[in-house]
Amino acid sequence: MSTTPSSEFFIPKLKTDIIISMLGKGLRPNGRKVDEIRPVTIIKDYIPNADGSALVKLGNTQVLVGVKLEIGTPFSDTPNEGNLMVNAEFMPTASPVFEPGPPDENAIELSRVIDRGIRESKAIDLSKLAIISGRKVWNIWVDIYVLDHDGNLIDASSIGTLAALMSTKLPNIEVKDSGEIVIDKSNKGEPLPLSKAVAAVTIGKIGNYLIVDPDIEEESLLDSRLTVIVDEDGSIAGLQKSGAGYLIEEELPTIINIALSKGKEVINTVRNIVKGSK
Amino acid sequence: MGKVGMKLIESGLRHDGRKLDELRPISMSVGVLKNANGSALVEYGRTKVIAAVYGPREPQTRYMLLPNRAVIRCRYHMASFSTHDRKSPTLSRREIELSKVVREALEPVVLSELYPRTSIDIFIEVINADGGTRTASVTAASLALADAGIPMKDLVAGVAVGKVDGFLVLDVDELEDMYGEADMPVAMAPSLRQITLLQLNGVLTPDEFTQAFELAKKGIEAIYSVERETLKKKYLDVKVED
């Protein structure tokens, strides 16, 4: 059951008023422009035992994404396609309000939004991940670990997922005559077939003001937010409104335009960092 | 595209004979349950959803009380027999996400600050699923809240727009959702012009998105007027005894 949350961090009324009056002048308490994303740093292949991984910092938000590949059986309706599974864990390390335990509705929502973005944009070419048609395929497990929460977990997770997938190598395998598959993890194989890059851009709404990449202080003041999944062709590959507030129609073109341009920026940043840091 | 190679749209008509911008037959009734403070049954074609509202009432657990408003609790649940293959009755990840999305679609209109330290509980049971269950759920829950007499700023109405065989279509059913290219559920409080639910599963260009949203608005207006008629009818039916 989903219950109205109590505010995680209470912000004094005086500070709230100051933040809102600053937004009226196009300023933010953290010094950023309304459409400015925090600096992104990515360390790829951070986890030697994973088939792909990335540690991402979006400002002070830290997310670790690990990709594991396993041999699995295909679903009957997609006999020649690999399977994608995305899961998110909000670690108790990340915030005083995160408790150990199974993923809550926020973690589930986050992982499902990331999953839909990758799946629907066909970012991973799942048709190249069949090993034995109809019988054996690659299962791609994407696990998102939120290590430190300073706001906008979804965009940080999307950057981490993209970077981890870009660094993922398919293990070398040998299919024996008996049908047995031997995995050779001694050396890295081919990169995971990615056909497209996607990025989530979250725009928050405080009163009538729109801000990109809200930090935790701004998040506690948000009325609502819209996450836009943008693909590299400039299409919208997913949307998710979240929060107890609303949006108005006139805001939609603004939000979409900001998201499209910021999304492109984010995808380029991730590409450059992942390719550059050989 | 049509994964099975079947055409879902032929000469401007959909597989069930509807036009691109045509809703399924919509029917609604309120007060369908005796015990709930408010209830509603909503049907979008073969999709059937029951919503019950209990409250404002003392919450089950006191720790979740809020001092300045009522908490809204919402559960979206699909009956095990509502789908083609039996669905496990335990809440799936999808149902957990949708419980949140539906709650957040109703939060903006409920005057929860009038009932501090209470809870308003919304229980949604999808009893037959044929696409558009979350938007039918929002519509049903909104009616049940009104039926419970809970003060609201507006009703909320929802509908999903899809992209099928390259065409934008209103009120997607399950077949269109399964084989279509995109599915975009939208819910609005029409008089306030507030968008309270917006999701997109699939890929749309920015232009397609704008057109899809226009189509959704059209459907929402029509559903909204059925909602209002349904509530008015409830009071016309009241007999005054001498």
Side-chain angles (χ1 to χ4, degrees):
Chain A
M1 189 133 58
S2 174
T3 307
T4 310
S6 62
S7 288
E8 289 169 6
F9 296 95
F10 287 99
I11 307 247
K13 174 86 170 66
L14 186 64
K15 195 164 187 188
T16 306
D17 293 345
I18 291 170
I19 292 176
I20 289 173
S21 79
M22 284 179 82
L23 287 171
K25 297 183 186 125
L27 302 168
R28 292 164 77 169
N30 46 39
R32 281 191 277 152
K33 294 200 269 302
V34 286
D35 64 347
E36 187 178 337
I37 294 174
R38 289 171 287 180
V40 176
T41 62
I42 300 172
I43 306 174
K44 68 164 186 169
D45 298 325
Y46 191 71
I47 306 298
N49 281 344
D51 297 301
S53 64
L55 175 67
V56 166
K57 289 185 193 169
L58 178 61
N60 288 320
T61 288
Q62 285 194 64
V63 176
L64 181 57
V65 180
V67 178
K68 279 289 209 183
L69 295 166
E70 281 177 357
I71 292 166
T73 46
F75 288 109
S76 56
D77 54 342
T78 51
N80 297 310
E81 286 185 13
N83 300 316
L84 171 70
M85 268 84 60
V86 181
N87 184 48
E89 305 269 350
F90 290 3
M91 308 311 289
T93 57
S95 157
V97 299
F98 290 171
E99 292 285 336
D104 69 354
E105 62 177 28
N106 298 303
I108 288 173
E109 180 184 39
L110 182 146
S111 58
R112 287 178 56 85
V113 171
I114 302 281
D115 181 304
R116 290 199 285 262
I118 298 172
R119 197 178 294 279
E120 295 296 330
S121 63
K122 303 192 169 55
I124 303 174
D125 193 348
L126 293 173
S127 65
K128 289 188 182 148
L129 294 174
I131 300 168
I132 305 172
S133 172
R135 300 232 330 267
K136 295 287 174 199
V137 297
W138 285 113
N139 280 347
I140 308 166
W141 294 91
V142 175
D143 280 284
I144 299 165
Y145 272 49
V146 174
L147 295 179
D148 205 359
H149 179 13
D150 192 35
N152 202 7
L153 297 180
I154 192 156
D155 293 9
S157 301
S158 131
I159 294 169
T161 304
L162 179 60
L165 289 172
M166 281 178 168
S167 76
T168 300
K169 303 280 189 296
L170 287 170
N172 289 311
I173 48 165
E174 193 189 332
V175 183
K176 296 260 172 80
D177 292 338
S178 60
E180 190 194 355
I181 299 169
V182 181
I183 302 180
D184 172 17
K185 288 215 173 184
S186 60
N187 52 31
K188 299 275 182 190
E190 290 292 301
L192 186 73
L194 291 185
S195 45
K196 209 176 263 186
V198 291
V201 180
T202 298
I203 284 122
K205 180 178 167 177
I206 301 177
N208 294 319
Y209 305 112
L210 299 173
I211 50 170
V212 174
D213 182 27
D215 65 22
I216 199 155
E217 185 174 75
E218 292 168 331
E219 259 184 11
S220 62
L221 297 176
L222 288 187
D223 296 306
S224 62
R225 60 188 154 188
L226 185 64
T227 298
V228 185
I229 313 273
V230 176
D231 74 14
E232 62 180 81
D233 309 332
S235 284
I236 307 164
L239 289 170
Q240 183 90 347
K241 176 255 172 189
S242 139
Y246 58 87
L247 300 165
I248 58 168
E249 195 185 338
E250 289 71 20
E251 290 163 345
L252 294 178
T254 318
I255 293 176
I256 300 290
N257 285 334
I258 297 174
L260 290 173
S261 84
K262 292 292 145 184
K264 209 174 187 179
E265 208 177 291
V266 170
I267 290 171
N268 286 335
T269 309
V270 177
R271 271 229 170 90
N272 291 337
I273 298 176
V274 173
K275 282 197 181 131
S277 67
K278 253 279 173 219
Chain B
M1 66 180 187
K3 278 181 193 158
V4 286
M6 110 179 87
K7 277 189 85 173
L8 284 170
I9 294 184
E10 237 163 323
S11 52
L13 290 180
R14 293 151 77 176
H15 73 96
D16 58 357
R18 275 189 288 160
K19 295 199 280 285
L20 300 181
D21 61 350
E22 191 177 337
L23 293 167
R24 289 175 280 183
I26 306 280
S27 84
M28 301 178 196
S29 45
V30 292
V32 296
L33 303 173
K34 180 180 82 69
N35 277 325
N37 297 108
S39 58
L41 171 66
V42 167
E43 297 175 46
Y44 289 10
R46 298 187 330 142
T47 289
K48 288 185 213 280
V49 177
I50 292 183
V53 167
Y54 283 85
R57 63 178 179 181
E58 192 149 341
Q60 249 60 11
T61 44
R62 304 197 64 86
Y63 70 87
M64 48 173 232
L65 283 176
L66 292 179
N68 57 340
R69 54 164 290 177
V71 294
I72 299 178
R73 302 196 304 158
C74 177
R75 188 179 90 141
Y76 164 99
H77 180 247
M78 295 176 96
S80 53
F81 46 75
S82 66
T83 47
H84 287 286
D85 299 329
R86 179 176 184 271
K87 189 207 148 281
S88 157
T90 53
L91 276 198
S92 63
R93 286 163 63 89
R94 176 177 173 278
E95 287 167 302
I96 293 171
E97 183 202 339
L98 293 190
S99 297
K100 176 177 188 281
V101 165
V102 171
R103 176 177 59 76
E104 291 176 340
L106 298 161
E107 292 263 10
V109 297
V110 178
L111 288 160
S112 51
E113 59 274 19
L114 295 179
Y115 304 101
R117 304 179 65 79
T118 65
S119 91
I120 296 170
D121 299 340
I122 304 166
F123 301 111
I124 296 157
E125 295 295 333
V126 175
I127 53 176
N128 196 63
D130 188 34
T133 60
R134 83 193 66 182
T135 47
S137 296
V138 171
T139 303
S142 159
L143 278 177
L145 284 164
D147 184 45
I150 291 169
M152 292 156 80
K153 297 175 194 163
D154 197 359
L155 292 165
V156 181
V159 76
V161 171
K163 185 178 169 190
V164 176
D165 290 349
F167 293 95
L168 294 172
V169 298
L170 184 61
D171 188 19
V172 284
D173 66 14
E174 186 172 85
L175 198 69
E176 292 173 327
D177 186 14
M178 256 166 71
Y179 297 109
E181 297 97 271
D183 170 38
M184 185 173 92
V186 185
M188 290 182 74
S191 297
L192 302 172
R193 303 177 63 254
Q194 296 179 350
I195 303 158
T196 67
L197 183 157
L198 177 58
Q199 291 182 290
L200 168 65
N201 188 16
V203 180
L204 293 178
T205 65
D207 284 343
E208 284 170 340
F209 168 72
T210 310
Q211 290 169 37
F213 188 79
E214 282 304 315
L215 198 53
K217 263 199 328 191
K218 194 180 151 190
I220 285 169
E221 281 298 339
I223 292 166
Y224 184 55
S225 69
V226 182
E227 282 185 310
R228 281 181 307 181
E229 287 312 309
T230 306
L231 286 169
K232 277 186 200 160
K233 212 174 94 206
K234 175 190 166 185
Y235 294 102
L236 289 176
D237 290 346
V238 174
K239 299 273 189 299
V240 182
E241 284 175 35
D242 297 318

